């Protein structure tokens, strides 16, 4: 059995949180089926303790063309100021194998107080976030 190196795990978690501070472009899927999906940027605060989301801006996209193509795809209504969710309250991370096989990168983050359903735009971000959030869940202090 491979030996687990706590310092290496902590380094991977710190690296993930560093990237999460910059944010990942996501589609936030509302719990209320009457509301539209919303393109957002999921990020954590400077302290690395709270996860939140904000409206996506053109600067969040690799190119202006991608932003323009995406503009009609999701709701861009202004979201109310949200209170961040503590990363320490993350209980588990789930994903759908069927969605993944169909190149739909859906993920459910299960916190103590609520669930957050998101879809990442590409496989690389999905796998990186999945691994990062799973590390956080498995290595809570």
């Amino acid at each position: 059995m491979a030996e687990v190196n706590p310092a290496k795990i902590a380094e991977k978690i710190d690296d993930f949180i560093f990237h999460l501070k910059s944010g990942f472009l996501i589609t936030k899927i509302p719990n209320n089926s009457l509301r539209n999906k919303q393109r957002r940027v999921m990020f954590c605060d400077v302290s690395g303790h709270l996860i939140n989301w904000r409206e996506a801006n053109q600067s969040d996209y690799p190119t202006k063309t991608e932003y323009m193509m995406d503009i009609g795809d999701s709701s861009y209504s202004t979201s109310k100021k949200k209170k961040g969710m503590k990363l320490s309250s993350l209980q588990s991370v789930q994903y759908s194998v069927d969605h993944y096989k169909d190149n739909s990168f859906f993920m459910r983050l299960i916190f103590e107080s609520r669930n957050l359903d998101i879809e990442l735009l590409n496989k690389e971000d999905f796998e990186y976030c999945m691994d990062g959030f799973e590390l956080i869940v498995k290595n809570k202090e």
Side-chain angles (χ1 to χ4, degrees):
M1 185 174 201
E3 195 174 312
V4 177
N5 183 341
K8 195 82 159 160
I9 291 171
E11 183 180 324
K12 286 182 179 182
I13 291 172
D14 288 344
D15 185 55
F16 173 65
I17 290 174
F18 173 80
H19 287 96
L20 189 57
K21 287 178 184 178
S22 298
F24 289 93
L25 195 58
I26 64 164
T27 300
K28 184 176 169 294
I29 302 166
N31 292 334
N32 181 343
S33 61
L34 298 175
R35 298 195 62 202
N36 291 331
K37 294 179 180 181
Q38 301 168 332
R39 189 74 78 218
R40 297 290 184 242
V41 173
M42 176 181 63
F43 65 96
C44 74
D45 67 335
V46 177
S47 70
H49 295 114
L50 297 174
I51 192 168
N52 212 327
W53 55 92
R54 63 170 173 76
E55 288 182 63
N57 302 312
Q58 182 177 331
S59 61
D60 296 314
Y61 289 80
T63 66
K64 183 177 181 178
T65 304
E66 288 180 68
Y67 172 74
M68 296 305 284
M69 287 176 19
D70 195 41
I71 233 168
D73 193 36
S74 297
S75 171
Y76 279 85
S77 62
T78 304
S79 70
K80 298 175 189 170
K81 181 109 173 114
K82 303 283 190 264
K83 184 178 177 186
M85 294 177 287
K86 293 181 182 178
L87 273 172
S88 61
S89 71
L90 183 62
Q91 302 293 300
S92 70
V93 185
Q94 299 174 345
Y95 77 102
S96 165
V97 174
D98 293 335
H99 283 160
Y100 186 79
K101 288 178 182 174
D102 292 337
N103 288 325
S104 176
F105 307 111
F106 170 83
M107 178 184 306
R108 173 171 283 158
L109 302 175
I110 300 174
F111 292 88
E112 290 173 357
S113 59
R114 66 171 287 188
N115 296 340
L116 179 60
D117 294 338
I118 61 173
E119 187 173 345
L120 286 107
L121 300 188
N122 61 59
K123 183 177 182 177
E124 294 77 24
D125 284 353
F126 172 82
E127 290 176 346
Y128 187 71
C129 286
M130 192 72 187
D131 291 345
F133 286 125
E134 283 181 336
L135 274 174
I136 289 170
V137 168
K138 291 177 184 174
N139 295 285
K140 283 199 226 180
E141 295 175 11

